[in-house]
Amino acid sequence: MNDTPLTTATEESVANDSASFRRLHPLSIILKSVAAIGQNLIAMGVLYFSVFDQNIVYAGLAALALLAFIIGINALIWSRFTYHVGPKEIRIKSGLLSRNNRSIPFDRIQDVSLEQKLVSRILGLATVKLETGAGGSEDGKLDALALADAEALRDTVRDYKSGVAKNTAEQIQANIPETAERAPVFAMDNRRIFIAGLFNFSFVLLAILAAIAQNLDFLLPDEFFNPRYWLEQLSEQDVVNGLSFSAQVAGAIGALVSLIAVGSGSGIIRTFIREYGFRLDRVDRGQPGFRRRRGLFTLTDMVMPIHRVQATILRTGPVRQRFGWYHLKFQSLASDGSGESDHSAAPCAQMDEVDAILAETKIANVSPDLIFQRVDPALWWRDALILAVILATVSVGLGVIIHPGFYALILLAIPVIAVMFLNWRHHQYALTPAQLFVRAGWWRRKLTIVPIRKVQTVDISQSPLDHPLDLATITVGIAGGSPIAPLRINDIPITSAMALRTKLI
């Protein structure tokens, strides 16, 4: 008697649960297909020139077959990918042959970021990326949702975590994200982006051209990538050999200027692509934080909760600082899907703009009366001495064995030692009751400000060269900090290091 109602209730529950699962926007099939076709354009070009011997008919048929295959596979993947937003979790079902049913509780989600590539922006779609910290920066991903649905989902997770609301899947559709526009905390127009690009020297354009040339090397001469071939060609040219010494020097200077121009142009283009439309807003809904939007071809929209900001980094340089420009970053536990831990809050800002942003985080900037302490001079003279000995040994050895001209290698020590000296002068630290300040670098100047309450670990280490001088290096561990470039105070007296560690922990 009781079996029939139980079975009916169970089947009804399963049916309702399945009905609550939704698919991504159908246009996601087109988006993924376009991306896959773009990735195979070079391969089709290679096949056209090599396998099909420039036969347009065979190449066209192959392209149509590839297009049909890509669209068919993406359609199957779309049909088998569903998701459900419950009151406390997001469930994602995926997989063609092997099915995967994944549950992501709201409590475990650390960050929700939105991303819109160029085609997605035209179609009004967005990608939602969920970070839990369990499997990297991208633990859950909904590839193509309507922008309003994506923003509503992000706001729902934020509201749940802050205890404001716990919306169901039906309530999400009625949830209206924050749309009231107010003055941003910081924004950059095209002029400001251009200025930022001038300071971001890059050879990425040359790298792209080299990559394209290597993939299409069958169209280039056989010896195109052989340096000896070009040296022989140049040495055989009477035009070059007939030039005066001053003309040859002028040519070398012209080549160097051209290289600098290409690097500057690449930096400007790269900065425009990354920072176009940069806007930093204050978010008060749910957990207070900053909302950052930027990008020309790919628009990223992420929220950085203030309580997850572990430290601030202020970057500049001799020329940039001369004109009063700084790059403010947050070292945060938040993620924008790219895996970086240092997030740009103001790529090109004046000091008063930096102070306004820092005021929101309750992290104080350097005060005029703050006294910084330099590290021990051994930081530069010890390494300079080692470098001079090595260069002298190499130059003398090569000069005796190969050619006396190699004696000039010792001159390389002059600029390198000068940079070491300048780096030492700019490596300083200061401590207040609430914060640690560390400066480093001369050409690429970096000021790191760490609230003492955010310090996780303090390590003191001594190298074999430190022991005779009673020096030590302090490494300060911060949650979310880069393991590649940790915060260090190099070469301070061991007694000062021990005292500083006591104050920090």
Side-chain angles (χ1 to χ4, degrees), residues 395-447:
S395 62
V396 171
L398 294 178
V400 172
I401 298 174
I402 301 177
H403 190 275
F406 282 101
Y407 290 135
L409 284 176
I410 192 64
L411 298 177
L412 292 176
I414 297 176
V416 176
I417 292 176
V419 171
M420 289 180 177
F421 176 76
L422 293 172
N423 284 336
W424 164 74
R425 286 182 58 86
H426 286 81
H427 190 30
Q428 307 169 346
Y429 68 97
L431 184 67
T432 65
Q435 297 179 164
L436 172 67
F437 301 81
V438 179
R439 285 174 172 164
W442 165 71
W443 183 251
R444 303 185 65 181
R445 300 178 183 180
K446 177 181 177 182
L447 170 65

Side-chain angles (χ1 to χ4, degrees), residues 307-493:
H307 75 276
R308 305 198 72 191
V309 175
Q310 305 298 303
T312 60
I313 299 172
L314 199 59
R315 290 187 176 274
T316 186
V319 179
R320 185 185 301 188
Q321 188 173 6
R322 178 78 176 177
F323 291 96
W325 297 113
Y326 299 87
H327 186 173
L328 177 65
K329 290 187 173 185
F330 290 148
Q331 193 168 91
S332 172
L333 294 173
S335 173
D336 64 353
S338 64
E340 64 175 355
S341 58
D342 299 342
H343 303 295
S344 292
C348 189
Q350 297 286 321
M351 188 56 75
D352 58 340
E353 296 171 322
V354 170
D355 290 336
I357 299 174
L358 291 180
E360 300 283 344
T361 66
K362 310 302 182 190
I363 296 178
N365 203 346
V366 177
S367 60
D369 58 345
L370 183 62
I371 300 176
F372 278 82
Q373 301 182 45
R374 285 180 182 161
V375 300
D376 194 275
L379 178 66
W380 78 271
W381 66 256
R382 183 182 56 193
D383 294 339
L385 182 61
I386 295 174
L387 175 66
V389 171
I390 293 175
L391 279 178
T393 303
V394 172
S395 62
V396 171
L398 294 178
V400 172
I401 298 174
I402 301 177
H403 190 275
F406 282 101
Y407 290 135
L409 284 176
I410 192 64
L411 298 177
L412 292 176
I414 297 176
V416 176
I417 292 176
V419 171
M420 289 180 177
F421 176 76
L422 293 172
N423 284 336
W424 164 74
R425 286 182 58 86
H426 286 81
H427 190 30
Q428 307 169 346
Y429 68 97
L431 184 67
T432 65
Q435 297 179 164
L436 172 67
F437 301 81
V438 179
R439 285 174 172 164
W442 165 71
W443 183 251
R444 303 185 65 181
R445 300 178 183 180
K446 177 181 177 182
L447 170 65
T448 305
I449 308 175
V450 184
I452 294 179
R453 67 181 186 279
K454 299 291 187 177
V455 174
Q456 300 289 321
T457 60
V458 180
D459 296 332
I460 297 179
S461 60
Q462 287 184 293
S463 69
L465 298 176
D466 291 332
H467 281 287
L469 302 174
D470 287 331
L471 300 177
T473 294
I474 286 187
T475 303
V476 180
I478 309 168
S482 172
I484 301 177
L487 180 60
R488 286 195 177 100
I489 305 175
N490 297 301
D491 291 338
I492 61 175

Side-chain angles (χ1 to χ4, degrees), residues 293-307:
R293 286 168 284 181
R294 65 174 182 176
L296 179 59
F297 300 123
T298 299
L299 173 64
T300 58
D301 186 343
M302 68 171 296
V303 174
M304 297 178 283
I306 290 178
H307 75 276

